[in-house]
Amino acid sequence: MRITKEKKQENYGRIIATASELFRERGFDGVGVAELMERAGLTHGGFYNHFRSKEELIAESTENGLSETLKRYAGHDVLAVMELYLAREHRDGRGQGCTAAALGCDAARQPEETKAIFAEGIDKLVRALEDGIAQHHASGAGGRAQAIAILAQAVGAIVLSRACPDDSPLADELLEACRADCRDAIQNRVRER
């Protein structure tokens, strides 16, 4: 039975969304194609109507996840972004959280295509932070190095916090310390110039 182009596109979107969430929860190697397709409500064989391989799906779902992160914080002030990003809710919401924090280490072991998608997504996050920092600066200039440092610190805080037991005081302490430090770095940039 043939399906319409619209239905095929809908199925593709469902696979990408499901994969993006599952990969963020369990990593690229923690999810098999059969389980993914079952969770998406589709047959295992249908996977190959959309993707040549799991690696192709990984690349496309990574791009989707990184774009979701940008969209989630678009329109928020950079200080509000730090509050939302470095919060326990984000830390605990692995499947809906930041792709860079959830899959950055996994990406290092992926083919160059996936690494290139990560690099492009990270660069977009840096530029968004740079623009947000610039809005707090009288001249409107943002600092790329500062945006990189803040992104690295925020992503690292989520990764380290997730590595701790859920009820560990250190898990929250990591988020609190980095949230305060990122906020201070943004605000001090305004005062320094």
Side-chain angles (χ1 to χ4, degrees), residues 13 16-17 20 37 43 54 61-62 67 69 71 76 80 87 97 113-114 122 141 146 152 157-158 160 164 169-170:
I16 290 291
S20 185
M37 294 302 285
T43 65
K54 183 178 175 185
S61 67
T62 295
S67 293
T69 299
K71 288 177 193 168
H76 289 85
E113 177 187 5
T114 301
I122 290 167
Q146 184 185 31
I158 292 294
L160 293 175
C164 296
L170 181 58

Side-chain angles (χ1 to χ4, degrees), residues 133-141 189-191 193:
I133 293 167
Q135 292 176 6
H136 283 268
H137 190 271
S139 71
R189 178 168 177 79
V190 175
R191 290 188 209 115
R193 303 285 176 173

Side-chain angles (χ1 to χ4, degrees), residues 48-135:
Y48 297 100
N49 293 329
H50 300 280
F51 306 98
R52 290 183 303 258
S53 65
K54 183 178 175 185
E55 289 73 26
E56 184 179 343
L57 171 64
I58 286 171
E60 291 185 36
S61 67
T62 295
E63 187 172 22
N64 179 71
L66 289 164
S67 293
E68 280 180 8
T69 299
L70 276 171
K71 288 177 193 168
R72 181 177 306 116
Y73 298 112
H76 289 85
D77 179 79
V78 70
L79 293 172
V81 169
M82 290 297 107
E83 292 296 321
L84 293 167
Y85 190 92
L86 292 165
R88 187 67 183 237
E89 294 78 19
H90 177 227
R91 179 227 187 237
D92 293 345
R94 287 171 176 81
Q96 293 75 42
C98 175
T99 299
L103 295 168
C105 292
D106 282 17
R109 293 181 288 279
Q110 293 300 310
E112 291 301 314
E113 177 187 5
T114 301
K115 289 181 184 181
I117 289 168
F118 252 90
E120 183 180 332
I122 290 167
D123 189 58
K124 287 178 182 177
L125 292 171
V126 167
R127 284 186 274 138
L129 274 174
E130 189 176 5
D131 291 345
I133 293 167
Q135 292 176 6

